[in-house]
Amino acid sequence: TASQNGVNIRASTDASRNVTGLSAGQNGQFHYIWNVGSNNLVLQHENASSTAANRMICSTGSDLTINANKCAFIMYDSTSTRWRVTLLP
């Protein structure tokens, strides 16, 4: 199956929410996660609540918070079987 790259994921929550992982992708698959709400969206670094292949490695080595009207870039790395995550300015 072909991967879809550059998908914009729009998130708006009723409170600050944690994301422990996303379904595993294909190598090089990437997405943008936009927080279009007013509450924080926290992408959790290496959270064991998610299956290993669904976990995220955050560029800071710790959880990344996407504030209101901000965006994160995620790319799947099949060598480490993790999503690689960084915040965009």
Side-chain angles (χ1 to χ4, degrees):
T1 59
S3 65
Q4 287 188 318
N5 277 328
V7 172
N8 287 309
I9 300 169
R10 294 170 45 92
S12 178
T13 67
D14 60 347
S16 182
R17 299 288 179 198
N18 295 328
V19 178
T20 63
L22 299 170
S23 294
Q26 296 177 2
N27 192 48
Q29 183 178 356
F30 66 90
H31 303 299
Y32 299 93
I33 301 175
W34 289 92
N35 183 351
V36 297
S38 58
N39 297 298
N40 291 336
L41 188 63
V42 181
L43 304 180
Q44 295 195 316
H45 177 77
E46 290 284 6
N47 189 299
S49 294
S50 282
T51 303
N54 296 346
R55 295 180 194 162
M56 296 175 276
I57 296 176
C58 299
S59 60
T60 60
S62 60
D63 296 351
L64 283 178
T65 300
I66 307 174
N67 296 316
N69 300 311
K70 297 293 182 181
C71 181
F73 175 81
I74 62 171
M75 184 181 77
Y76 199 75
D77 176 358
S78 63
T79 301
S80 60
T81 61
R82 299 289 193 276
W83 287 99
R84 299 279 178 171
V85 183
T86 192
L87 288 177
L88 296 176

